[in-house]
Amino acid sequence: IEIDSKTQAVLDRKNYRLLEKLSQGSFGEVYKGEFKIDHRLVAIKILDISKMSMKFKERYVARELKALIECRHLNVVQIYDIIRSNNRLYIFMEYCSNGTLTMFIKKFGACSESLARIWFRQLVDALLYIHTELKMAHRDIKFDNVLLDEKFNVKLTDFGFAKELAWNDNKQQLELTATICGTEPFMCPQLVQRRPYNPMKADVWAMGVLLFGLLNGRFPFNWADPSLMLKEQTNYPKFIRSVSKNTISEEANDLIAKILDPDEQTRITVLEISKHLWLK
Amino acid sequence: TLKTLISKMNPI
């Protein structure tokens, strides 16, 4: 890996060794690394601060990223350290050896209901912690942001990040940038319409898309066409019931339908999801 | 069938 001397100095000071590149994003890249003291593997996200919006810089670089270090949950990717140097942000975090849920589903297709139940319960637990303990919304729940550790436990990563990058404060709407395109399938009707929305309920919606995807091996709505997607989302609950595989239990379909409620007011909360019959 | 057709739509 080509690495400049300042970056190398940061890594040396913190006792990390950089290994191969894991992924490339629009505003940075993720490397695999090793903590030299105990040979533990870590993921190192390197973000280019000059490519970030002013709002992102103000909100996260200074304060809120520090709060993420305090976040401790079995099903949330732990952040060990955050360093700002050489106009870059270095985020040292837990390494998950089995990749993302996207990779898993692309390889193996839909999950059995029992596996989906285990993973979904873990994710609900993580989100409940983020919503109630940290009083934050994740804002970018998607298969790419669910990682699998060496024991195949799911871990939620990247919260509070991507959405903020694409939020335009002056226009009060989301920017149609490349970063947002990949997240389209997980958008609730309010986001599709670029209307003000409750971020916690938007997280809940994305969890519904996730659960549907786990059980069906596909996305519920036609996200490539936003107006068609909105039609499908608001044809409720007829549409969502009609596209679910007929092998899926009534309890699972009931939970999916309660989550993918286009009306924010009546859409269930994470706490209510955790008490649903299917998760008992 | 319609179900098979649907199952091939919107891949992850």
Side-chain angles (χ1 to χ4, degrees), chain A residues 216-255:
Chain A
N216 291 277
R218 55 180 286 270
F219 287 123
F221 309 110
N222 190 330
W223 55 273
D225 179 347
S227 62
L228 177 59
M229 174 149 97
L230 190 64
K231 263 187 207 147
E232 292 174 347
Q233 288 176 335
T234 46
N235 181 7
Y236 177 81
K238 200 170 156 235
F239 180 81
I240 194 66
R241 293 230 170 233
S242 72
V243 289
S244 192
K245 281 199 298 198
N246 42 25
T247 47
I248 292 165
S249 71
E250 187 41 47
E251 287 83 13
N253 279 326
D254 178 75
L255 178 55

Short mmCIF file of all heavy atoms in Angstrom, two decimals, chain A residues 216-255:
data_model
loop_
_atom_site.label_atom_id
_atom_site.label_comp_id
_atom_site.label_asym_id
_atom_site.label_seq_id
_atom_site.Cartn_x
_atom_site.Cartn_y
_atom_site.Cartn_z
N ASN A 216 -36.90 -12.94 2.08
CA ASN A 216 -37.27 -13.13 0.67
C ASN A 216 -36.10 -13.11 -0.30
O ASN A 216 -36.25 -13.46 -1.46
CB ASN A 216 -38.29 -12.06 0.25
CG ASN A 216 -39.63 -12.25 0.92
OD1 ASN A 216 -40.46 -13.04 0.47
ND2 ASN A 216 -39.86 -11.55 2.03
N GLY A 217 -34.94 -12.66 0.18
CA GLY A 217 -33.76 -12.60 -0.69
C GLY A 217 -33.85 -11.53 -1.76
O GLY A 217 -33.13 -11.55 -2.75
N ARG A 218 -34.77 -10.60 -1.59
CA ARG A 218 -34.93 -9.50 -2.54
C ARG A 218 -35.51 -8.28 -1.81
O ARG A 218 -35.97 -8.40 -0.68
CB ARG A 218 -35.87 -9.90 -3.68
CG ARG A 218 -37.24 -10.39 -3.21
CD ARG A 218 -38.14 -10.79 -4.37
NE ARG A 218 -38.63 -9.61 -5.05
CZ ARG A 218 -39.77 -8.98 -4.74
NH1 ARG A 218 -40.54 -9.40 -3.76
NH2 ARG A 218 -40.14 -7.91 -5.40
N PHE A 219 -35.46 -7.11 -2.47
CA PHE A 219 -36.05 -5.92 -1.89
C PHE A 219 -37.56 -5.91 -2.13
O PHE A 219 -38.02 -6.39 -3.18
CB PHE A 219 -35.44 -4.65 -2.48
CG PHE A 219 -34.04 -4.37 -2.01
CD1 PHE A 219 -33.00 -4.24 -2.93
CD2 PHE A 219 -33.76 -4.24 -0.66
CE1 PHE A 219 -31.70 -3.99 -2.50
CE2 PHE A 219 -32.46 -3.98 -0.23
CZ PHE A 219 -31.44 -3.86 -1.15
N PRO A 220 -38.35 -5.35 -1.21
CA PRO A 220 -39.80 -5.36 -1.40
C PRO A 220 -40.30 -4.42 -2.49
O PRO A 220 -41.26 -4.74 -3.19
CB PRO A 220 -40.34 -4.93 -0.03
CG PRO A 220 -39.23 -4.20 0.63
CD PRO A 220 -37.98 -4.80 0.10
N PHE A 221 -39.63 -3.26 -2.62
CA PHE A 221 -40.16 -2.25 -3.54
C PHE A 221 -39.22 -2.01 -4.73
O PHE A 221 -38.02 -2.20 -4.63
CB PHE A 221 -40.38 -0.92 -2.81
CG PHE A 221 -41.18 -1.08 -1.54
CD1 PHE A 221 -40.59 -0.90 -0.31
CD2 PHE A 221 -42.53 -1.43 -1.59
CE1 PHE A 221 -41.31 -1.06 0.87
CE2 PHE A 221 -43.26 -1.60 -0.43
CZ PHE A 221 -42.65 -1.41 0.80
N ASN A 222 -39.82 -1.56 -5.81
CA ASN A 222 -39.06 -1.25 -7.02
C ASN A 222 -38.39 0.12 -6.84
O ASN A 222 -38.92 1.14 -7.24
CB ASN A 222 -40.00 -1.23 -8.22
CG ASN A 222 -39.27 -1.15 -9.53
OD1 ASN A 222 -38.18 -0.57 -9.61
ND2 ASN A 222 -39.84 -1.73 -10.56
N TRP A 223 -37.19 0.10 -6.27
CA TRP A 223 -36.53 1.36 -5.89
C TRP A 223 -35.92 2.12 -7.06
O TRP A 223 -35.59 3.30 -6.94
CB TRP A 223 -35.46 1.10 -4.84
CG TRP A 223 -34.46 0.08 -5.24
CD1 TRP A 223 -34.55 -1.27 -5.08
CD2 TRP A 223 -33.21 0.31 -5.89
NE1 TRP A 223 -33.45 -1.89 -5.59
CE2 TRP A 223 -32.61 -0.94 -6.09
CE3 TRP A 223 -32.54 1.46 -6.32
CZ2 TRP A 223 -31.36 -1.08 -6.71
CZ3 TRP A 223 -31.30 1.33 -6.93
CH2 TRP A 223 -30.73 0.07 -7.12
N ALA A 224 -35.76 1.43 -8.21
CA ALA A 224 -35.16 2.10 -9.37
C ALA A 224 -36.09 3.19 -9.91
O ALA A 224 -35.65 4.12 -10.58
CB ALA A 224 -34.85 1.08 -10.44
N ASP A 225 -37.38 3.09 -9.59
CA ASP A 225 -38.36 4.07 -10.05
C ASP A 225 -39.07 4.65 -8.82
O ASP A 225 -40.01 4.04 -8.30
CB ASP A 225 -39.36 3.36 -10.99
CG ASP A 225 -40.44 4.30 -11.50
OD1 ASP A 225 -40.58 5.41 -10.96
OD2 ASP A 225 -41.16 3.90 -12.43
N PRO A 226 -38.63 5.84 -8.36
CA PRO A 226 -39.16 6.39 -7.10
C PRO A 226 -40.69 6.56 -7.06
O PRO A 226 -41.30 6.30 -6.02
CB PRO A 226 -38.47 7.74 -6.98
CG PRO A 226 -37.23 7.62 -7.79
CD PRO A 226 -37.57 6.68 -8.92
N SER A 227 -41.30 6.96 -8.20
CA SER A 227 -42.75 7.17 -8.16
C SER A 227 -43.48 5.83 -8.07
O SER A 227 -44.50 5.72 -7.38
CB SER A 227 -43.22 7.98 -9.38
OG SER A 227 -42.94 7.28 -10.56
N LEU A 228 -42.94 4.82 -8.73
CA LEU A 228 -43.52 3.47 -8.62
C LEU A 228 -43.31 2.93 -7.20
O LEU A 228 -44.22 2.34 -6.61
CB LEU A 228 -42.90 2.53 -9.66
CG LEU A 228 -43.35 1.06 -9.61
CD1 LEU A 228 -44.86 0.94 -9.81
CD2 LEU A 228 -42.63 0.23 -10.67
N MET A 229 -42.11 3.18 -6.64
CA MET A 229 -41.82 2.72 -5.28
C MET A 229 -42.82 3.32 -4.30
O MET A 229 -43.36 2.61 -3.45
CB MET A 229 -40.39 3.09 -4.85
CG MET A 229 -40.11 2.76 -3.39
SD MET A 229 -38.43 2.31 -3.01
CE MET A 229 -37.79 3.84 -2.42
N LEU A 230 -43.09 4.62 -4.46
CA LEU A 230 -44.04 5.29 -3.56
C LEU A 230 -45.44 4.69 -3.69
O LEU A 230 -46.14 4.49 -2.69
CB LEU A 230 -44.06 6.79 -3.86
CG LEU A 230 -44.82 7.66 -2.86
CD1 LEU A 230 -44.18 7.60 -1.48
CD2 LEU A 230 -44.89 9.11 -3.33
N LYS A 231 -45.83 4.40 -4.93
CA LYS A 231 -47.14 3.76 -5.17
C LYS A 231 -47.22 2.42 -4.45
O LYS A 231 -48.22 2.10 -3.81
CB LYS A 231 -47.36 3.54 -6.67
CG LYS A 231 -48.19 4.64 -7.32
CD LYS A 231 -48.52 4.28 -8.77
CE LYS A 231 -48.73 5.55 -9.57
NZ LYS A 231 -48.29 5.40 -10.96
N GLU A 232 -46.14 1.65 -4.59
CA GLU A 232 -46.11 0.32 -3.95
C GLU A 232 -46.14 0.45 -2.43
O GLU A 232 -46.83 -0.30 -1.74
CB GLU A 232 -44.86 -0.44 -4.40
CG GLU A 232 -44.88 -0.84 -5.87
CD GLU A 232 -43.57 -1.46 -6.37
OE1 GLU A 232 -42.54 -1.37 -5.66
OE2 GLU A 232 -43.59 -2.02 -7.46
N GLN A 233 -45.38 1.44 -1.91
CA GLN A 233 -45.32 1.64 -0.46
C GLN A 233 -46.66 2.06 0.13
O GLN A 233 -47.01 1.66 1.24
CB GLN A 233 -44.27 2.72 -0.12
CG GLN A 233 -42.83 2.28 -0.33
CD GLN A 233 -41.84 3.40 -0.09
OE1 GLN A 233 -42.18 4.59 -0.22
NE2 GLN A 233 -40.62 3.05 0.26
N THR A 234 -47.39 2.88 -0.61
CA THR A 234 -48.64 3.43 -0.07
C THR A 234 -49.86 2.56 -0.37
O THR A 234 -50.92 2.79 0.18
CB THR A 234 -48.87 4.88 -0.58
OG1 THR A 234 -48.63 4.92 -1.98
CG2 THR A 234 -47.93 5.85 0.11
N ASN A 235 -49.69 1.56 -1.23
CA ASN A 235 -50.76 0.58 -1.46
C ASN A 235 -50.69 -0.43 -0.31
O ASN A 235 -50.26 -1.58 -0.48
CB ASN A 235 -50.55 -0.09 -2.81
CG ASN A 235 -51.63 -1.10 -3.13
OD1 ASN A 235 -52.62 -1.22 -2.41
ND2 ASN A 235 -51.44 -1.85 -4.20
N TYR A 236 -51.07 0.04 0.85
CA TYR A 236 -50.79 -0.67 2.11
C TYR A 236 -52.05 -1.22 2.75
O TYR A 236 -53.07 -0.51 2.76
CB TYR A 236 -50.10 0.30 3.06
CG TYR A 236 -49.81 -0.25 4.43
CD1 TYR A 236 -48.70 -1.05 4.65
CD2 TYR A 236 -50.67 0.01 5.50
CE1 TYR A 236 -48.44 -1.57 5.91
CE2 TYR A 236 -50.41 -0.50 6.76
CZ TYR A 236 -49.30 -1.29 6.96
OH TYR A 236 -49.05 -1.80 8.20
N PRO A 237 -52.06 -2.41 3.34
CA PRO A 237 -50.97 -3.41 3.36
C PRO A 237 -51.04 -4.40 2.20
O PRO A 237 -50.33 -5.40 2.21
CB PRO A 237 -51.21 -4.12 4.68
CG PRO A 237 -52.69 -4.11 4.85
CD PRO A 237 -53.20 -2.86 4.18
N LYS A 238 -51.88 -4.11 1.23
CA LYS A 238 -52.13 -5.05 0.12
C LYS A 238 -50.83 -5.43 -0.60
O LYS A 238 -50.53 -6.61 -0.79
CB LYS A 238 -53.12 -4.41 -0.86
CG LYS A 238 -53.82 -5.41 -1.75
CD LYS A 238 -54.98 -4.75 -2.51
CE LYS A 238 -55.27 -5.54 -3.77
NZ LYS A 238 -55.22 -4.72 -4.98
N PHE A 239 -50.05 -4.40 -0.99
CA PHE A 239 -48.86 -4.67 -1.81
C PHE A 239 -47.85 -5.55 -1.07
O PHE A 239 -47.43 -6.58 -1.59
CB PHE A 239 -48.19 -3.37 -2.26
CG PHE A 239 -46.97 -3.63 -3.11
CD1 PHE A 239 -47.08 -3.93 -4.46
CD2 PHE A 239 -45.70 -3.63 -2.54
CE1 PHE A 239 -45.96 -4.22 -5.22
CE2 PHE A 239 -44.57 -3.92 -3.30
CZ PHE A 239 -44.71 -4.21 -4.65
N ILE A 240 -47.50 -5.15 0.14
CA ILE A 240 -46.44 -5.86 0.86
C ILE A 240 -46.84 -7.31 1.14
O ILE A 240 -46.01 -8.22 1.10
CB ILE A 240 -46.00 -5.08 2.15
CG1 ILE A 240 -44.68 -5.62 2.70
CG2 ILE A 240 -47.07 -5.08 3.24
CD1 ILE A 240 -43.50 -5.38 1.80
N ARG A 241 -48.13 -7.53 1.37
CA ARG A 241 -48.62 -8.90 1.60
C ARG A 241 -48.54 -9.72 0.32
O ARG A 241 -48.24 -10.91 0.36
CB ARG A 241 -50.05 -8.86 2.10
CG ARG A 241 -50.17 -8.24 3.49
CD ARG A 241 -50.98 -9.13 4.42
NE ARG A 241 -50.92 -8.69 5.79
CZ ARG A 241 -50.58 -9.47 6.81
NH1 ARG A 241 -50.28 -10.74 6.60
NH2 ARG A 241 -50.55 -8.99 8.02
N SER A 242 -48.78 -9.06 -0.83
CA SER A 242 -48.84 -9.79 -2.10
C SER A 242 -47.46 -10.22 -2.61
O SER A 242 -47.36 -11.17 -3.38
CB SER A 242 -49.55 -8.95 -3.15
OG SER A 242 -48.71 -7.88 -3.54
N VAL A 243 -46.39 -9.53 -2.18
CA VAL A 243 -45.06 -9.86 -2.73
C VAL A 243 -44.23 -10.77 -1.83
O VAL A 243 -43.14 -11.21 -2.22
CB VAL A 243 -44.23 -8.59 -3.07
CG1 VAL A 243 -44.81 -7.88 -4.28
CG2 VAL A 243 -44.12 -7.64 -1.88
N SER A 244 -44.73 -11.08 -0.63
CA SER A 244 -43.99 -11.93 0.29
C SER A 244 -44.13 -13.41 -0.13
O SER A 244 -45.20 -13.83 -0.56
CB SER A 244 -44.52 -11.72 1.70
OG SER A 244 -43.65 -12.30 2.63
N LYS A 245 -43.05 -14.16 0.02
CA LYS A 245 -43.08 -15.59 -0.34
C LYS A 245 -44.16 -16.31 0.49
O LYS A 245 -44.34 -16.00 1.67
CB LYS A 245 -41.72 -16.25 -0.01
CG LYS A 245 -40.66 -15.98 -1.03
CD LYS A 245 -39.50 -16.97 -0.94
CE LYS A 245 -38.75 -16.94 0.37
NZ LYS A 245 -37.43 -17.55 0.33
N ASN A 246 -44.84 -17.28 -0.11
CA ASN A 246 -45.93 -17.91 0.66
C ASN A 246 -45.46 -18.92 1.70
O ASN A 246 -46.27 -19.46 2.46
CB ASN A 246 -47.00 -18.52 -0.27
CG ASN A 246 -46.38 -19.23 -1.45
OD1 ASN A 246 -45.23 -19.67 -1.37
ND2 ASN A 246 -47.11 -19.34 -2.54
N THR A 247 -44.13 -19.14 1.77
CA THR A 247 -43.61 -20.04 2.79
C THR A 247 -43.35 -19.32 4.12
O THR A 247 -43.05 -19.95 5.13
CB THR A 247 -42.28 -20.67 2.32
OG1 THR A 247 -41.45 -19.61 1.80
CG2 THR A 247 -42.50 -21.71 1.25
N ILE A 248 -43.46 -18.00 4.09
CA ILE A 248 -43.15 -17.22 5.30
C ILE A 248 -44.32 -17.23 6.27
O ILE A 248 -45.48 -17.12 5.87
CB ILE A 248 -42.74 -15.78 4.90
CG1 ILE A 248 -41.38 -15.84 4.16
CG2 ILE A 248 -42.64 -14.85 6.10
CD1 ILE A 248 -41.03 -14.60 3.42
N SER A 249 -44.01 -17.37 7.57
CA SER A 249 -45.06 -17.52 8.59
C SER A 249 -45.92 -16.27 8.71
O SER A 249 -45.50 -15.16 8.38
CB SER A 249 -44.43 -17.84 9.94
OG SER A 249 -43.76 -16.70 10.44
N GLU A 250 -47.12 -16.46 9.23
CA GLU A 250 -48.06 -15.36 9.42
C GLU A 250 -47.49 -14.33 10.42
O GLU A 250 -47.64 -13.13 10.23
CB GLU A 250 -49.41 -15.91 9.90
CG GLU A 250 -50.53 -14.87 9.97
CD GLU A 250 -50.56 -13.89 8.78
OE1 GLU A 250 -50.45 -14.33 7.62
OE2 GLU A 250 -50.66 -12.69 9.03
N GLU A 251 -46.79 -14.82 11.46
CA GLU A 251 -46.20 -13.90 12.47
C GLU A 251 -45.16 -12.98 11.83
O GLU A 251 -45.12 -11.79 12.11
CB GLU A 251 -45.54 -14.68 13.62
CG GLU A 251 -46.49 -15.35 14.57
CD GLU A 251 -46.97 -16.70 14.06
OE1 GLU A 251 -46.38 -17.23 13.09
OE2 GLU A 251 -47.96 -17.21 14.61
N ALA A 252 -44.31 -13.56 10.97
CA ALA A 252 -43.27 -12.76 10.30
C ALA A 252 -43.90 -11.73 9.37
O ALA A 252 -43.52 -10.56 9.37
CB ALA A 252 -42.31 -13.66 9.53
N ASN A 253 -44.89 -12.17 8.59
CA ASN A 253 -45.57 -11.24 7.69
C ASN A 253 -46.30 -10.14 8.45
O ASN A 253 -46.34 -8.99 8.01
CB ASN A 253 -46.56 -12.00 6.78
CG ASN A 253 -45.85 -12.65 5.61
OD1 ASN A 253 -44.88 -12.11 5.08
ND2 ASN A 253 -46.32 -13.81 5.20
N ASP A 254 -46.84 -10.48 9.61
CA ASP A 254 -47.53 -9.50 10.44
C ASP A 254 -46.55 -8.43 10.93
O ASP A 254 -46.84 -7.23 10.89
CB ASP A 254 -48.20 -10.20 11.64
CG ASP A 254 -48.90 -9.21 12.56
OD1 ASP A 254 -49.99 -8.73 12.17
OD2 ASP A 254 -48.36 -8.89 13.64
N LEU A 255 -45.35 -8.89 11.35
CA LEU A 255 -44.34 -7.94 11.82
C LEU A 255 -43.88 -7.03 10.67
O LEU A 255 -43.80 -5.80 10.84
CB LEU A 255 -43.15 -8.69 12.43
CG LEU A 255 -41.98 -7.82 12.93
CD1 LEU A 255 -42.44 -6.76 13.93
CD2 LEU A 255 -40.88 -8.67 13.55
#
